[in-house]
Amino acid sequence: DTGVSQNPRHKITKRGQNVTFRCDPISEHNRLYWYRQTLGQGPEFLTYFQNEAQLEKSRLLSDRFSAERPKGSFSTLEIQRTEQGDSAMYLCASAGGASGANVLTFGAGSRLTVL
Amino acid sequence: AQTVTQSQPEMSVQEAETVTLSCTYDTSENNYYLFWYKQPPSRQMILVIRQEAYKQQNATENRFSVNFQKAAKSFSLKISDSQLGDTAMYFCAFLYSGGGADGLTFGKGTHLIIQP
């Protein structure tokens, strides 16, 4: 297993466009998290999946944001009608299996730039 | 809700020196985990060390050790014999052990620079 994979690594889009990010967690991990990180800040929690169920959503996740994890495998994070304030690094993390439910492994992130 | 505070935005030390990064947190929970994560310039977050709140013994991982003071809600990271590769952002993080649905709560980070 090569760890948590995120694609694309960098996305530049114009304001108002829709973007989708994909996260492939470590295969044995049943927990999956999305975070947003802006420059000079620590990551902020967005949403959490346990298997295919989305169990928690942050108030940061406006109605323009939607996340899915069909079949409890990969996950997608879609942002509709992007705004300049959405520019950030979007991090995915997974946990579970032999490493334990409380140790999150992060991907390299998907950087979004909204022009 | 819990909060994590890192009061040192940036620190700089010479290679081979020992450096301590501070972290305080606020929670009403009794069972939780604390972590230090490292984020090098490539930006992938890497786990450095973790501490279970119910354990009194401080965690150590090679050159990295923590000073966990539960009553004071303090969780500092000590890096011994610092190396150039230790240059990175370091984040202190809290995880409630009661379910983990909220994931980690992070501090704002400390930018550690190791000078040659």
Side-chain angles (χ1 to χ4, degrees):
Chain A
D1 200 341
T2 57
V4 179
S5 176
Q6 292 189 246
N7 288 287
R9 293 293 310 278
H10 196 177
K11 178 72 176 179
I12 301 172
T13 191
K14 292 183 179 180
R15 188 177 53 187
Q17 297 295 305
N18 299 344
V19 296
T20 300
F21 300 115
R22 175 178 170 127
C23 172
D24 288 272
I26 293 172
S27 57
E28 63 176 349
H29 288 183
N30 62 338
R31 298 185 175 205
L32 187 146
Y33 301 84
W34 284 98
Y35 287 83
R36 181 174 71 185
Q37 186 179 22
T38 53
L39 199 61
Q41 301 294 318
E44 296 172 293
F45 169 78
L46 291 179
T47 192
Y48 162 67
F49 289 86
Q50 186 160 323
N51 300 309
E52 68 276 10
Q54 187 174 20
L55 298 184
E56 194 71 29
K57 292 170 63 174
S58 163
R59 57 179 172 77
L60 294 175
L61 214 65
S62 75
D63 56 6
R64 296 185 297 105
F65 288 70
S66 62
E68 294 182 339
R69 191 183 182 196
K71 300 179 183 178
S73 55
F74 70 93
S75 176
T76 58
L77 177 68
E78 181 182 17
I79 309 173
Q80 296 182 325
R81 305 183 303 281
T82 52
E83 301 173 355
Q84 288 185 327
D86 296 332
S87 295
M89 179 74 84
Y90 290 86
L91 298 172
C92 177
S94 67
S99 59
N102 298 311
V103 178
L104 275 65
T105 301
F106 283 83
S110 292
R111 180 186 295 279
L112 174 64
T113 302
V114 181
L115 302 175
Chain B
Q2 46 275 351
T3 59
V4 177
T5 302
Q6 294 180 248
S7 59
Q8 305 151 311
E10 185 171 288
M11 295 187 71
S12 181
V13 298
Q14 296 294 124
E15 191 177 8
E17 289 183 346
T18 294
V19 60
T20 299
L21 309 182
S22 65
C23 171
T24 59
Y25 59 94
D26 189 19
T27 183
S28 58
E29 304 295 341
N30 195 46
N31 298 315
Y32 50 87
Y33 298 84
L34 294 163
F35 302 83
W36 280 97
Y37 276 86
K38 169 185 178 181
Q39 191 175 42
S42 66
R43 299 190 71 99
Q44 182 153 14
M45 203 80 76
I46 302 166
L47 177 65
V48 175
I49 198 166
R50 73 166 176 167
Q51 175 82 40
E52 292 93 336
Y54 66 86
K55 289 187 177 179
Q56 293 188 344
Q57 187 172 5
N58 290 322
T60 62
E61 287 288 342
N62 301 313
R63 297 183 296 109
F64 300 88
S65 61
V66 298
N67 183 5
F68 173 50
Q69 301 290 327
K70 190 173 184 179
K73 295 180 181 175
S74 171
F75 183 62
S76 61
L77 174 70
K78 185 172 82 170
I79 305 174
S80 304
D81 185 27
S82 57
Q83 301 174 358
L84 297 179
D86 295 334
T87 293
M89 285 293 294
Y90 286 81
F91 293 98
C92 179
F94 173 104
L95 179 70
Y96 170 53
S97 63
D102 284 353
L104 293 160
T105 299
F106 286 89
K108 290 190 174 183
T110 296
H111 184 204
L112 176 64
I113 300 168
I114 309 300
Q115 305 275 7

